[in-house]
Amino acid sequence: MKTEKEKMLSGELYLANDKELIAERIRAKKLLHKINVTEYWMNKSTRKLIAELIPNTKGVLHIEPPFHCDYGYNIECGENVYFNVNCVVLDTMKITIGSNVMFGPGVHLYTASHPLDIETRRVLELSKPIVIGDDCWIGGNSVICPGVTIGKGCVIGAGSVVTKDIPDNSLAVGNPVKVIRKLNQE
């Protein structure tokens, strides 16, 4: 029998109010409080807290507080990742972020989703992973929806809502997002 956490991480319907998941979210909130309130700027202490919150980072991860996430351990970052102020990462499932990725202010990444059926939605949730390739810039106040893959070298314009996959080296803007041209092409 799978635990609710195992169901969450595998994309199955799960009970978010499970005791284990609540305890893990509380742990993350306590670390976030220290990052967002006690420290509030990048220093040695803040870097240690971020490493504890988001242990799956391969290099420099810079976060401008305030920052919010559900668990932290489901966020995997490459080298040189930057989150500007007010970013929200609902990491109920794995979020893979490549190297040299920049997030503008107020960017939201949502792996969490809800069933369309009313009765099921009252009790259970589900999740889909997000993948963001190397060398991407996600403009301020953009929303990346569950299950989306953004290819390497992409620029997502400010205020975009990304509901579908974006191919490598694309400039995409709007709500819903549309690819308007290729980038880095001779």
Side-chain angles (χ1 to χ4, degrees):
M1 183 92 151
K2 286 185 177 179
T3 66
E4 296 304 314
K5 181 177 179 176
E6 290 169 332
K7 291 177 192 176
M8 177 184 79
L9 295 174
S10 66
E12 299 173 40
L13 291 170
Y14 71 95
L15 181 63
N17 287 332
D18 173 71
K19 288 180 183 179
E20 177 185 18
L21 294 176
I22 290 171
E24 289 182 354
R25 287 194 304 272
I26 289 170
R27 176 192 170 278
K29 297 296 182 214
K30 288 179 180 179
L31 289 168
L32 286 164
H33 183 268
K34 290 176 184 176
I35 292 166
N36 292 335
V37 178
T38 307
E39 298 300 328
Y40 204 71
W41 60 82
M42 290 301 289
N43 58 43
K44 190 175 182 179
S45 177
T46 306
R47 289 195 190 287
K48 286 181 182 177
L49 292 166
I50 290 170
E52 188 176 346
L53 177 66
I54 305 172
N56 298 312
T57 299
K58 295 181 178 114
V60 175
L61 171 58
H62 188 94
I63 294 174
E64 296 286 346
F67 176 82
H68 302 280
C69 67
D70 287 326
Y71 299 98
Y73 58 76
N74 287 324
I75 303 167
E76 182 178 295
C77 297
E79 298 273 348
N80 194 33
V81 173
Y82 176 81
F83 282 95
N84 209 321
V85 298
N86 292 319
C87 287
V88 175
V89 181
L90 301 184
D91 64 315
T92 56
M93 186 174 262
K94 187 174 182 179
I95 296 175
T96 305
I97 299 167
S99 295
N100 305 308
V101 176
M102 298 181 297
F103 295 94
V107 170
H108 290 203
L109 304 171
Y110 303 147
T111 63
S113 187
H114 300 277
L116 297 178
D117 173 71
I118 294 169
E119 296 301 318
T120 307
R121 184 171 59 234
R122 288 180 182 162
V123 181
L124 301 172
E125 296 181 13
L126 64 140
S127 303
K128 295 179 183 175
I130 291 174
V131 177
I132 299 172
D134 293 340
D135 301 303
C136 288
W137 172 25
I138 312 299
N141 292 314
S142 291
V143 175
I144 313 301
C145 291
V148 165
T149 295
I150 297 174
K152 66 180 180 180
C154 289
V155 174
I156 307 299
S160 294
V161 178
V162 184
T163 59
K164 61 184 178 181
D165 293 352
I166 306 297
D168 290 352
N169 301 308
S170 295
L171 172 61
V173 300
N175 180 6
V177 75
K178 290 185 174 115
V179 174
I180 58 170
R181 72 178 173 97
K182 294 301 266 177
L183 299 171
N184 308 317
Q185 306 269 317
E186 296 294 322

